[in-house]
Amino acid sequence: MKIRRLYKDPGFLVMLTFFVLVVGMFGFATHYANEQVAASRRAAEEVFSTSTDPVRKELLSQEALDLPESELEQTFNNVNELVSKGDFKTLQEQYLLEPEKAQLLANDPNTVKYFEPLNFDKDLSKFDPAHPGELQIYNYSGKYAGIPAFTQKAYFTTANDPAPQLSLEYVFVGTPQGWKVLDIKGFNNLALKLPYRVPTSLTMSVKSGEQSFDLPVGKDPEISLLRTIRKTYWALPNTYQLALAAQNGLIYVPETQKFNWSKLGQEFTWEPEMSYKATEQLENQLEELLTDQIKKELAEDKIPGVISTKNTLIPDSLTITEANWRYDSWDFKGNFRVSGDLGESKVSFRKLYVVIGDNGKLSELPNNIKKVIPTDNR
C-alpha cells in the first residue's frame, strides 16, 4: 500500500523521472564516447593499413608472410649467441629491424664486460614462441600496426649459478630478408625527446662509467606534421652522463643530464631545453667571416646608435649571445665593439644563413642576405 501511495505522489514521480533522465544521459554519453574512441581507432588502422611506407609494404609482402616458422628457431639461437657475447654491432647489421635502438649498447665498451659472465641457456629458454598476434598501433609505430609477430623469451645464466640472471623477451617479425627482431624487452630504455628541427650534425655525448663515446641524434630536414623526435635506446645498469653538441662541438646545448641505473627494467626520458650556445672558437671564426662587412658598414656610417666617427672594429670582441638552427643554416645574434674618436661603442647584430662545414669553416648560403643586420644600439 505504501508503494502504491508513493507512485501517486507527484514529488516522487518528478524525482523518479529526473533519475531516469540522468541515468539515460550518462549511459548515452558513455556509449557515444566509446563509439568515438572505436571510430578513431578504426580510422587510424585504416590509414596505416593503406600506408605506402616502404618498410610496411615489405612486412606485408607475400614473401614475408610466407616465411617458414621453422627458420625462426635458428634466428632465435643466432640472436642469443650474439647477445651473450655483447656483440650488438653485428646484431644491428644482421637482425635488428630498428638498429638505432641498440646504438648505445653497440658503442659502449662496458656492454661486452656486462655479458662476459652470462651464457644463453637453451634448456631454460625452451623454444615455444607465442602464437603470432598482430602488433597494436598504440604499442609500436603506426607502420607496424597489424603486422604478425612472434614473442619468445630467452634466459641467461652464469657458470656458478643455474638460476636465470637475465631474462629478455624478443619480438620477431618476418621480412623478405628473413626473421628480424623488432624489439627486445628486458633492458633499460633511455628515451631522448627533441624538437623536430634539430641540426643534422647533432650528437649526444655519452659517458658510461669511465668510457665516453658519441651517438648521432640529428635528423635530415623534411616536411612533417610531427613536432618532436623521440629516439629510444636500450641501456644497461650503469651511471650515464649525457650532453648534446653540434657542428663538431662548435655549438653545444648547456643542459646536461646524469642518472644512475642500478637494475634492469627501468625507463628514463630526457627532454632537454634546446637553447644553443657558441664556443669561443666559433665566435672568432664568425668575426673573421664578418670583418670585411663590418668594416664596410663602419666606413659608410650605416650602423645606428654609434655616435663616434672613424670607427674601427676591436679585434676579438665579437660575442654570440643566441644561436638558432634553421632547416639548412644558422641564425646568430650577438654584439661586437668598435672604437672611434669619441671612445668605444657596443654594437648588436644579427647574422642569418651561416653554414658551418664539416671542416668547421664558416660560409654563407648563396643568393641570400649577405650583410650584417644591425639592431638598434641606443
Side-chain angles (χ1 to χ4, degrees), residues 132-378:
E134 293 183 353
L135 296 175
Q136 298 300 307
I137 184 175
Y138 299 102
N139 295 336
Y140 293 93
S141 173
K143 64 186 175 185
Y144 299 120
I147 302 296
F150 286 92
T151 58
Q152 171 68 42
K153 284 191 174 181
Y155 298 95
F156 297 81
T157 59
T158 61
N160 301 323
D161 191 347
Q165 303 298 306
L166 173 65
S167 171
L168 299 176
E169 183 178 80
Y170 300 99
V171 178
F172 289 99
V173 295
T175 75
Q177 294 78 38
W179 291 101
K180 300 290 182 181
V181 177
L182 174 60
D183 198 9
I184 303 178
K185 300 175 182 179
F187 293 122
N188 295 328
N189 285 324
L190 168 62
L192 176 64
K193 197 172 180 181
L194 301 171
Y196 191 75
R197 283 198 298 175
V198 294
T200 54
S201 63
L202 189 68
T203 59
M204 180 170 68
S205 174
V206 181
K207 186 176 182 183
S208 170
E210 298 301 318
Q211 306 290 338
S212 297
F213 52 94
D214 292 335
L215 299 180
V217 294
K219 190 178 188 340
D220 292 332
E222 60 182 66
I223 297 175
S224 174
L225 297 178
L226 297 175
R227 299 182 65 88
T228 58
I229 304 170
R230 184 182 177 89
K231 296 176 177 287
T232 301
Y233 303 96
W234 299 322
L236 296 171
N238 208 337
T239 298
Y240 293 94
Q241 297 180 61
L242 310 177
L244 294 169
Q247 309 296 168
N248 295 319
L250 290 174
I251 292 176
Y252 65 95
V253 176
E255 182 181 334
T256 59
Q257 184 61 259
K258 179 180 180 180
F259 58 96
N260 180 30
W261 274 326
S262 59
K263 59 182 181 180
L264 288 169
Q266 300 182 83
E267 294 188 3
F268 181 85
T269 299
W270 183 32
E271 187 174 0
E273 182 180 344
M274 299 299 287
S275 57
Y276 299 103
K277 297 294 181 183
T279 61
E280 184 177 346
Q281 181 183 351
L282 179 59
E283 290 176 337
N284 294 335
Q285 291 182 217
L286 185 61
E287 181 175 316
E288 182 180 340
L289 177 70
L290 302 181
T291 294
D292 290 340
Q293 297 177 38
I294 293 173
K295 286 181 178 180
K296 181 180 178 182
E297 293 182 21
L298 287 174
E300 297 173 356
D301 292 328
K302 288 186 176 181
I303 297 184
V306 178
I307 302 174
S308 299
T309 58
K310 300 180 181 178
N311 293 290
T312 57
L313 173 66
I314 298 177
D316 301 324
S317 66
L318 187 142
T319 300
I320 298 172
T321 57
E322 186 178 330
N324 293 297
W325 171 250
R326 296 172 177 273
Y327 280 106
D328 50 6
S329 60
W330 290 92
D331 173 4
F332 294 118
K333 292 182 181 180
N335 54 71
F336 54 86
R337 302 191 69 82
V338 297
S339 178
D341 56 356
L342 297 179
E344 293 186 4
S345 298
K346 187 177 182 180
V347 181
S348 298
F349 74 91
R350 181 183 180 188
K351 180 62 187 174
L352 304 172
Y353 311 115
V354 177
V355 178
I356 305 176
D358 294 336
N359 58 0
K361 296 296 182 181
L362 273 58
S363 60
E364 298 177 70
L365 285 179
N367 303 320
N368 276 313
I369 300 173
K370 292 198 173 184
K371 62 177 290 184
V372 179
I373 303 176
T375 56
D376 195 341
N377 296 287
R378 289 173 291 182

